[in-house]
Amino acid sequence: MFMILFRIVVYGLIIFSILYVWRIGLPVSAPAKVLAILLFACGFAIAFGATIALGWANAFGSKEGLRTDGIFRYSRNPIYIATWFGLAGWALLIPVPFAIATLVTWALIYLVAIFIEERWLAQEYGEQFREYCQAVRRFF
């Protein structure tokens, strides 16, 4: 159910953003536009790459092994962190209340998800996950 609602929100936001840019354009100055596009593109590219590295099924709750290598050596949550950068770029590109409220909601859902996910990982992977937590920080 969560994934269905999440997809509705994300796809709705994408459609809204495309229509907004098509009708209004990007209402930000050139330097802000460059920063926004960099945050957006790099954030979502890194998030997508980290999701692929984790394994698509593993990223969505399948127990396919705890990933502690690659980008996961530096952060326990690189997908969420990179997505937050992408969301910040998106908010700079489409600075309207509806979009910003939706993006903030998405960011907060991801923040809560980290703590829920860590409880699940501790149950599933036990000592291996606890050792990983000792070695790698939650965020940076």
Side-chain angles (χ1 to χ4, degrees), residues 6-7 10-11 14 39-60 67 71-72 77-87 106 110:
F6 184 75
R7 285 181 178 140
V10 171
Y11 297 154
I14 290 169
L39 285 169
F40 180 87
C42 291
F44 284 112
I46 292 168
F48 186 73
T51 301
I52 297 300
L54 179 61
W56 201 259
N58 213 14
F60 292 99
R67 300 289 191 272
I71 196 167
F72 297 94
N77 297 287
I79 297 166
Y80 297 130
I81 293 167
T83 299
W84 289 330
F85 281 99
L87 295 175
W106 183 352
Y110 269 20

Side-chain angles (χ1 to χ4, degrees), residues 83-104:
T83 299
W84 289 330
F85 281 99
L87 295 175
W90 199 334
L92 290 171
L93 287 170
I94 313 291
V96 297
F98 170 77
I100 291 173
T102 306
L103 293 164
V104 167

Side-chain angles (χ1 to χ4, degrees), residues 11-129:
Y11 297 154
L13 186 58
I14 290 169
I15 291 166
F16 172 83
S17 298
I18 290 169
L19 291 174
Y20 181 86
V21 170
W22 183 41
R23 295 194 76 205
I24 309 294
L26 292 175
V28 293
S29 66
K33 200 178 294 185
V34 170
L35 174 63
I37 290 170
L38 280 173
L39 285 169
F40 180 87
C42 291
F44 284 112
I46 292 168
F48 186 73
T51 301
I52 297 300
L54 179 61
W56 201 259
N58 213 14
F60 292 99
S62 179
K63 186 179 175 187
E64 296 185 358
L66 182 65
R67 300 289 191 272
T68 60
D69 56 347
I71 196 167
F72 297 94
R73 289 181 299 186
Y74 307 106
S75 170
R76 296 194 313 254
N77 297 287
I79 297 166
Y80 297 130
I81 293 167
T83 299
W84 289 330
F85 281 99
L87 295 175
W90 199 334
L92 290 171
L93 287 170
I94 313 291
V96 297
F98 170 77
I100 291 173
T102 306
L103 293 164
V104 167
T105 300
W106 183 352
L108 291 173
I109 288 169
Y110 269 20
L111 180 61
V112 171
I114 288 171
F115 297 98
I116 294 168
E117 187 176 276
E118 284 189 350
R119 275 187 262 154
W120 180 81
L121 289 166
Q123 289 175 343
E124 294 296 319
Y125 296 105
E127 188 59 32
Q128 182 186 10
F129 181 69

